[in-house]
Amino acid sequence: MRGKGIAGRDFSGHGCRRGAQLPRGALTVLALVGVCVLSFGTTRMAGAQPVAETVDTGFVIPFAGAPGYESVAPTQMTSPDQLNQPLGQQVADEIAAQIGLDSSDALTEEQYRDLITGGGIGGNREDAEVIDECARILTNTNGRPLYSGTTSSVLASYGLYVNPDGLLESPANADAPTRQVNTLIAPGGFVGTWLRNNGATHTLIALYQSAYTVQAVYGFAAQQISGQAQLVTNTKGDVSSEVGMSMAPPLWIVNFALLYILKPSLAAAMPAHWAPIPSAVADAVKASPTGQIAFADYASYFE
């Protein structure tokens, strides 16, 4: 059975300012992550350090993530040819180094294949399918379309995707595998247990010593205050726009780290830039009680 998404109460204060206190639920997640790191018996401090001075990305806390890491995440596209373009391996490796990861931290090809096929010690085919679906959604860039029936779509830069039922939604929607996977990747969950049981404890340690740890806290807080739509407002100057939660800095970095330790080439296929969702589409998603709309009704906005 697929794990359900992290369910927590809504927190007030959507307009959080930089330096604002994180919700108690987010601090609980940090505590759990800390326990997981300590359980490995390692005393080394996290390998990742903030890579730059805080920059004005147009996102605010918690959607901006940890100060100093915002410059690692995708910037808004400035030309049409950047839409849904993947990072490429060289850039992915550079980003990995900035957040405290290296290709040697990733699973071997055999371990990766076992994990996503339900093999190995304690493998589970249903959980493996969720992980594989997540990877495909998060790498829905040029050359990697998703299909709903005979309809193909490439929407990663918008932080959106089309599910098998033809519904357009944020990857952070409660219905999405990319949200349901939260229980699998949580401390003590399926993924951590599988890694320990299959000779990949070093991969798990590397993940928790990277920027993943602190960014997961901000990502959790952001998801809790974003309702069904799971969209994020970006404001630069007098211009405000919406983008899916998966393109906000903390969630993007968390997802990047997870894909990189699975297989660096997957992280290389993630979107290099984010794109504003057409306003009519964003309004419809926010107005929907489920945060989902029929893609067929709005596909023309993405042509």
Side-chain angles (χ1 to χ4, degrees):
M1 180 179 295
R2 290 183 179 178
K4 295 181 179 179
I6 296 174
R9 66 186 184 279
D10 289 336
F11 299 105
S12 60
H14 290 235
C16 296
R17 299 183 302 277
R18 295 189 185 279
Q21 186 174 2
L22 289 172
R24 181 177 300 173
L27 296 177
T28 300
V29 172
L30 180 57
L32 288 173
V33 170
V35 169
C36 188
V37 173
L38 292 175
S39 71
F40 295 121
T42 178
T43 58
R44 185 162 66 91
M45 295 298 288
Q49 298 295 331
V51 298
E53 295 296 324
T54 300
V55 296
D56 181 12
T57 61
F59 296 105
V60 298
I61 296 293
F63 306 105
Y69 285 113
E70 293 139 300
S71 63
V72 175
T75 56
Q76 183 175 354
M77 71 176 215
T78 56
S79 63
D81 63 305
Q82 294 176 333
L83 181 64
N84 299 316
Q85 280 292 337
L87 291 169
Q89 196 61 63
Q90 180 178 341
V91 174
D93 290 339
E94 292 171 356
I95 291 173
Q98 290 176 316
I99 66 170
L101 292 173
D102 183 82
S103 59
S104 63
D105 299 321
L107 299 180
T108 65
E109 182 61 33
E110 181 179 359
Q111 289 170 331
Y112 168 71
R113 186 169 57 252
D114 284 344
L115 176 61
I116 65 166
T117 59
I121 300 171
N124 181 291
R125 185 170 294 277
E126 290 187 359
D127 289 343
E129 289 177 353
V130 173
I131 295 169
D132 190 41
E133 288 176 13
C134 290
R136 290 189 290 109
I137 291 169
L138 295 172
T139 60
N140 181 213
T141 47
N142 293 335
R144 299 175 64 94
L146 290 175
Y147 287 89
S148 176
T150 59
T151 301
S152 66
S153 57
V154 178
L155 300 168
S157 282
Y158 296 103
L160 298 171
Y161 86 104
V162 181
N163 72 18
D165 294 324
L167 298 176
L168 182 70
E169 62 187 15
S170 165
N173 188 286
D175 173 71
T178 30
R179 182 66 177 270
Q180 295 168 346
V181 78
N182 284 346
T183 53
L184 302 184
I185 62 176
F190 167 73
V191 172
T193 301
W194 190 94
L195 293 178
R196 287 191 295 270
N197 289 341
N198 289 272
T201 300
H202 74 287
T203 295
L204 195 55
I205 292 174
L207 177 67
Y208 282 115
Q209 290 181 334
S210 74
Y212 169 89
T213 301
V214 65
Q215 294 290 43
V217 178
Y218 286 90
F220 175 87
Q223 287 180 316
Q224 300 310 300
I225 62 176
S226 297
Q228 295 295 329
Q230 291 293 304
L231 303 184
V232 178
T233 300
N234 181 281
T235 302
K236 290 294 290 280
D238 296 328
V239 180
S240 291
S241 55
E242 304 283 340
V243 68
M245 181 70 68
S246 59
M247 293 306 292
L251 270 296
W252 189 92
I253 292 173
V254 163
N255 291 331
F256 175 91
L258 289 166
L259 291 187
Y260 196 86
I261 65 163
L262 289 181
K263 192 172 187 177
S265 61
L266 287 177
M270 290 181 68
H273 299 276
W274 68 267
I277 299 171
S279 58
V281 178
D283 290 345
V285 171
K286 290 189 291 185
S288 167
T290 63
Q292 302 166 313
I293 56 177
F295 179 61
D297 294 341
Y298 293 89
S300 62
Y301 286 94
F302 300 100
E303 295 175 354

